[in-house]
Amino acid sequence: AIWKVLVRNRFLWLMAAMHFFIYFIRSGVLNWAHFYIMDEFGVPALEATARVSGFELGGLLGCIVSGQVSDWLIGRYPQKGAAGLRTQVMIVYSLLAAASVFGFWVLPPRAVFQWMCMASFGFAIYGPQTLITMTGVETVPRRAAATAGGLLAYPANLGSMCAGLPFALLVQTYGWKGFFPSLVLLSLVSAVVVLPGWNTPSYLQERRRRAAARKAAGKENGSRP
């Protein structure tokens, strides 16, 4: 019964798809960013590693801010779908990821610019990472919460696993001019795939709405002669 509930939950499939793309993009950037700096600009390995080190610091801030902003939105707009509001935050983060990758590619190759772009990218990636599982779990019954959380972890692992060979072939075949536009496009895809969840309510919200509808229907039937 639990699996039937999960499989029929369209929102979980949206979160699973985004989780795949987020980790696919994350692995691509982390695996190749320092090689890009070394190959394209002749920067020593140690300095190249330092330039991409902003990723984790930005990620820490991204985790905190994504939770605070989505919680604030839910408190500010209690009548709107809670899962949908968190999804909207994720979409903004994915758009920021695309902008960060584009900036890393086209801005002048100064250490400060590259560090800031990596910090911005980390901020943008860790936001959805923080929200995806929690938001998916919010749309299922309590008895299915742990199973849903575990289920949503698989696409992330799959995304990391699948990122190695495709990006290696991409760089080998098309160079960096093929690598970075692909990352930008994939970041935009990660935002598009969750657009259908824009207004999704949480499981508790849906239960309350159904209860209110049944109550209203009962009153209407009771008032008839």
Side-chain angles (χ1 to χ4, degrees):
I2 288 179
W3 282 104
K4 183 181 291 186
V5 169
L6 298 181
V7 170
R8 291 180 176 178
N9 188 323
R10 184 186 67 166
F11 187 79
L12 286 184
W13 289 101
L14 301 179
M15 292 294 102
M18 188 181 205
H19 222 183
F20 174 87
F21 283 112
I22 288 295
Y23 270 82
F24 191 81
I25 298 161
R26 170 196 167 108
S27 296
V29 171
L30 291 183
N31 289 343
W32 289 96
H34 59 290
F35 288 119
Y36 165 71
I37 295 172
M38 293 164 60
D39 178 63
E40 195 76 0
F41 309 112
V43 174
L46 184 62
E47 183 180 343
T49 302
R51 293 189 183 192
V52 302
S53 64
F55 176 82
E56 294 296 341
L57 178 59
L60 174 63
L61 295 175
C63 289
I64 297 171
V65 172
S66 66
Q68 288 185 327
V69 170
S70 61
D71 285 344
W72 178 83
L73 287 172
I74 291 170
R76 181 68 176 80
Y77 304 103
Q79 301 305 318
K80 294 187 177 182
L85 291 172
R86 295 198 197 277
T87 300
Q88 293 169 34
V89 173
M90 294 183 226
I91 290 171
V92 172
Y93 268 70
S94 288
L95 297 178
L96 177 59
S100 301
V101 170
F102 185 74
F104 188 79
W105 181 36
V106 302
L107 288 176
R110 297 180 183 176
V112 63
F113 289 159
Q114 291 177 336
W115 190 94
M116 289 177 66
C117 285
M118 285 302 297
S120 176
F121 178 73
F123 182 95
I125 286 294
Y126 269 91
Q129 279 184 217
T130 302
L131 294 177
I132 285 172
T133 300
M134 177 185 68
T135 307
V137 167
E138 286 181 339
T139 65
V140 301
R142 184 179 299 177
R143 69 180 188 278
T147 306
L151 188 64
L152 286 173
Y154 282 105
N157 296 331
L158 185 63
S160 294
M161 182 181 70
C162 293
L165 182 60
F167 282 120
L169 293 174
L170 188 64
V171 172
Q172 184 180 27
T173 306
Y174 299 103
W176 303 115
K177 291 183 179 180
F179 176 74
F180 283 103
S182 298
L183 286 171
V184 172
L185 178 61
L186 287 168
S187 298
L188 296 176
V189 169
S190 73
V192 171
V193 295
V194 295
L195 280 174
W198 187 271
N199 294 313
T200 303
S202 68
Y203 178 75
L204 289 178
Q205 284 180 319
E206 187 64 23
R207 282 191 61 184
R208 289 169 185 161
R209 289 177 184 178
R210 290 178 181 177
R214 286 196 298 268
K215 187 176 180 180
K219 286 184 177 180
E220 182 178 346
N221 292 334
S223 62
R224 290 177 182 175

